[in-house]
Amino acid sequence: MTTGEKDAAQAAPHSVAGHPGIQSLRVARKEELAEGVVRLRLEEPNGFRVPDWTPGAHIELVLPTATQGALSRHYSLCGDRWEASSYEVAVLREPNSKGGSHYIHDELVEGQMLNVGTPRNNFSLSQAKRYEFIAGGIGITPIMTMIAAAEQLGIDWHLHYGGRSRASMAFLPELEAYGDKVTIWPQDEMGHLNLTFLAETVEHGRVYCCGPEPLLNAVAGAAEAWPAGTVRFERFVPAQLPEPVRTEPFELELAISKKVVTVGTQQTVLGALNDAGVPVLSSCNEGVCGTCEVGVLRGTPEHRDSLLNDAERAKNDRMFVCVSRAISDRLVLDL
């Protein structure tokens, strides 16, 4: 790399005017990884450095569809995080797509520019002496980055990877290099993924699982003996929840702006804040992306997101305002 290239790589990314958290990246490569799965390489057009990220992170793609307008979709990063000026994601063609995967598979072309959000991580890799990685289908994407990190750190790990068929399972050629550290489990050949190994806990071990809801539920049941906080999940869709504990209005006290905002029976916290002129960044409105996280200083939220684990919820020091509500009469927020 020449001095000029190095300086360019260290410069600020090409931001979209008025949106400092969004950058405009070029689709440098679009390729089929497996049956129904494409990989996108998104590059900063001037070779500038893109924001750093950590294993388990995802980015938001703003997709300019012709029929539905701009769609915001979140995809896990799966490339080399040391690549300074590009990101990679893998996208499954969803049969019941709401427009995002259809657009990426059928309309997005190489050379096209896309608005891309700054990486966020709600599925971060914690220190351990042993990792059990479990992936179902396209859930392999964040796990690939965790495997790379475990290898670099010299930490023991094993991957249990299930899918509909070998043809539908992405990254199989790359995973072959790891030999018996990887168990491949195609459902059409072997049935459902065998989770009996979770019956025994591993001292200083952690489990990371990403995949469809039936797999997550099966892993949660099989890993009941593992200590709290040692089993982490990444969800594609929101978890099914009961009706809110509290349906009557409650108050938000905003510690910084000194405002008091009432959240109505049919309102979200996010909606009430926006109506009061307190803008909070949001994206999915389903409690799965983490964009709308707000600090809680006092009071008890009712956590209705699909991100926090039980230990994190018990702290009551943050909430995701697009879906979560309050148990107490008042919440004091760091806003």
Side-chain angles (χ1 to χ4, degrees), residues 201-222:
T201 62
V202 176
E203 187 175 5
H204 303 298
R206 288 184 178 270
V207 177
Y208 285 84
C209 177
C210 183
E213 194 69 16
L215 173 64
L216 305 188
N217 293 336
V219 169

Side-chain angles (χ1 to χ4, degrees), residues 38 43 53 60 64 97 126 190 262 280 283 295 297 299 305 313:
V38 296
E43 293 184 348
W53 55 281
E60 175 186 7
S97 171
S126 299
M190 305 169 71
T262 299
V280 175
S283 180
L297 304 179
D305 62 90
R313 292 182 176 201

Side-chain angles (χ1 to χ4, degrees), residues 15-179:
S15 298
V16 177
H19 299 276
I22 297 286
Q23 55 194 314
S24 186
L25 303 183
R26 181 178 61 241
V27 181
R29 186 172 70 239
K30 175 182 175 181
E31 60 181 342
E32 185 175 4
L33 271 188
E35 187 179 278
V37 180
V38 296
R39 174 165 53 189
L40 305 179
R41 182 180 177 88
L42 307 169
E43 293 184 348
E44 211 293 324
N46 299 307
F48 294 155
R49 190 181 189 92
V50 295
D52 294 337
W53 55 281
T54 53
H58 65 269
I59 54 174
E60 175 186 7
L61 303 187
V62 182
L63 307 172
T65 69
T67 57
Q68 296 176 271
L71 294 178
S72 174
R73 296 293 184 266
H74 297 259
Y75 299 102
S76 296
L77 289 161
C78 61
D80 181 355
R81 68 190 184 99
W82 306 112
E83 285 284 340
S85 59
S86 66
Y87 297 133
E88 288 188 3
V89 297
V91 181
L92 173 69
R93 180 189 289 278
E94 294 282 359
N96 299 316
S97 171
K98 297 179 181 178
S101 72
H102 166 79
Y103 178 83
I104 288 173
H105 277 259
D106 297 336
E107 300 182 46
L108 186 69
V109 296
E110 291 182 355
Q112 185 173 336
M113 301 296 290
L114 283 182
N115 289 341
V116 179
T118 301
R120 296 178 179 272
N121 200 341
N122 305 308
F123 191 47
S124 57
L125 190 65
S126 299
Q127 185 65 37
K129 291 186 178 179
R130 163 81 178 191
Y131 295 117
E132 296 290 351
F133 297 126
I134 306 171
I138 198 62
I140 188 62
T141 49
I143 301 298
M144 291 297 293
T145 66
M146 294 181 171
I147 288 172
E151 282 287 292
Q152 289 176 336
L153 295 170
I155 299 174
D156 190 28
W157 61 273
H158 193 95
L159 168 66
H160 308 262
Y161 180 18
R164 289 184 292 104
S165 65
R166 291 181 187 273
S168 70
M169 298 171 71
F171 300 109
L172 290 185
E174 291 91 332
L175 290 170
E176 285 180 359
Y178 297 118

